[in-house]
Amino acid sequence: MSAEPKTLYDKIWEAHEVGRRSDGNSLLYIDLQLLHEVTSPQAFEGLQLAGRPLWRVDANLATPDHNVPTSGRELGFDGITDAVALEQVVTLDKNCKAFGVQQFEILDQRQGIVHVVGPEQGATMPGMTVVCGDSHTSTHGAFAALAQGIGTSEVEHVMATQCLVQNKAKNFAVNVTGALAEGVTAKDLVLAIIGRLGTAGATGHTIEYRGEAIRQLSMEGRMTLCNMSIEAGARAGLVAVDDATINYIHGRPFAPKGELWNQAEDYWRTLVSDEGAVFDASMTIDASTIAPQVSWGTSPEMVAGIDEAVPNPKDMSDGVQAESTQLALEYMDLQAGQKITDIAVSRIFIGSCTNARIEDLRAAAAQIRGGKVAANVTEALVVPGSGLVKAQAEEEGLAQQFIDAGFEWRSAGCSMCLGMNPDQLGEGEHCASTSNRNFEGRQGYGGRTHLVSPAMAAAAAINGRFVDIRNTQHQQGGAA
Amino acid sequence: MDAFTTLDGLVAPLDRANVDTDQIIPKQYLKSIKRTGFGDYLFDAWRFLDQGTMGMTPNERQINREFSLNLPEYQGASILVARDNFGCGSSREHAVWALKEFGFRAVLAPSFADIFFGNCFKNGVLPITLPADVIEGLFQRVAAGLTLSIDLRAQTVTDGEQVHGFDIDPALKEKMLHGMDDIDLTLAEASLIRSFESGHRQRQPWLFRD
């Protein structure tokens, strides 16, 4: 007797389906809701106005991240000069106290970007359903958790009912064969995938990243990969459980202990797609063909390899695509046919829920090699994803390497990924950024964002323009 | 939530693909703990030539006279016609709150991003998916002062003599027609949730911290 083979997504979905309504929608039980200051106040207010309690207090975890300043952290609330931002951070604090929700508040060393904090604490576990009022919740899929970004009305719905009303998405397999070359990271891989799929390529689907190259990625790399699933239109991305997953979680504060750990691990090991499971759609990409990626436009699908050039709208047969490309080149002030290595940058941002973990900071610091931030770079920010990442980087000596090279070493938060805090791009400035979105104005009014890996961003800081870090490594190797 | 049954309204065009929610409502306007006060900042970087801050009113701003929503012929529009993948990016529900407060009750496009699409239904704004050639036809005629009649119950968009049908999830349709509260509907199934939860706790006890 053999049951029908299931995908990983099917398994997690079925383990959380409370019931299916006659209209085809399901009630999906939610194990963990992460909260931050920007998308939760209206939800807490709705709950209070209706006189409803939180369904399950222990299933919520909060931390302020979007608009906390990254300097002057020791001042706590007093360090927030923007009155409206302060009101949001204070409101989160008050709401957490009123409802009894655990919060890593602004002065807690465990404070940080929600999508860094959850996994770091072991709060994100395999097989869970996770939601947050933030589209990059997909990050947690690295742990084989079904993690989705939701709107504020849905945040309130989960607070009140512990459920989401949802139609099951379709299954999308992204198969990554081969191995990434030296100097090419999970960030380059996901940018290349989005470049192929387009920003709506996986709309209505849950992506599972599969194949040898994925198994080789660290948990940090898998988080980077799953983080940007939403940039291909997918609400959630997943990676199956293996030893790396189990080893990462073991011993973390929220992880189960003793006999409960053994029981959990046995279950978690089943969280892989069955042999022969059917996917509704798929794509295959050979990791060994991917060069370090740089985005040149105003959508994450507008990417090129470091050894390529900015495309020409005149070469495009699709009228809408040509028009979008033309508008993007005008906004970015780039010329069709311009080599990517000829793009100069004046700002650097290393941080965000995509790339602010310890491994990211190590990769960035490794590019410094005794160099200094180039004269044409007016500011190079390094913003760790959490207070704990910051402490570890200081202990490992990475922070000092950044400071010695002329980078600014800041405190944890979303920082310049979305410029809701004092860290913002100026009009017309080009920035090498390890964040996830290059939308117009995202990092600051009129700012021009180029999405890259941490190593590529650090190399751009030292050179004042984009460079092919594969060549630098080759030269360094030759000189040794 | 406001119900949506029918709408007769003027159409305004936004001729761009992949319009993201950072464009619909830029980040500097998210610093509010309310659901209102966003309409003045809809498409802020496109509607205005200067950089605004929260609290500024449109008459303090430098208007971009070339942007479609600022053209005299589209004033008072309640229907927005747009291109593929409208509403991609950030999950911010503020994007829908801003569209609604500005006066839009329906958005017509060949496709929408998932989270934005769901957020519309929480706020009585109807996203309608129509074939690309129908949308193209609307774009071609919009400058002449196009008005459309939308009938949610009949699932039609009527353009003069032409009637375009559209598909919609029956559950979402019901909720919109009656302006039903999602939380009330789900809490009606509270005992089912409780019973699932106790089984879930037995199967995966490590998920419960209390």
Side-chain angles (χ1 to χ4, degrees), chain A residues 378-439:
Chain A
T378 55
E379 187 186 67
L381 289 183
V382 185
V383 186
S386 72
L388 290 169
V389 170
K390 185 181 189 199
Q392 188 176 351
E394 286 170 353
E395 201 178 298
E396 291 184 15
L398 304 175
Q400 201 54 52
Q401 289 178 49
F402 286 121
I403 293 164
D404 290 346
F407 288 84
E408 289 194 35
W409 180 246
R410 298 291 187 87
S411 295
C414 296
S415 184
M416 209 165 68
C417 175
L418 85 169
M420 277 192 74
N421 46 74
D423 305 339
Q424 296 192 19
L425 273 192
E427 203 165 346
E429 289 182 316
H430 284 266
C431 177
S433 177
T434 67
S435 57
N436 40 57
R437 288 188 176 133
N438 50 352
F439 297 151

Side-chain angles (χ1 to χ4, degrees), chain B residues 35-82:
Chain B
R35 284 173 187 262
T36 53
F38 304 105
D40 283 349
Y41 313 109
L42 179 74
F43 299 119
D44 196 80
W46 292 338
R47 273 172 62 212
F48 302 106
L49 296 168
D50 57 338
Q51 185 177 358
T53 52
M54 192 85 186
M56 287 175 88
T57 59
N59 52 25
E60 296 173 67
R61 307 287 302 278
Q62 213 182 324
I63 310 280
N64 176 3
R65 301 279 168 206
E66 289 173 15
F67 182 59
S68 61
L69 298 193
N70 289 332
L71 299 178
E73 58 265 40
Y74 302 123
Q75 298 313 300
S78 57
I79 300 169
L80 186 67
V81 60

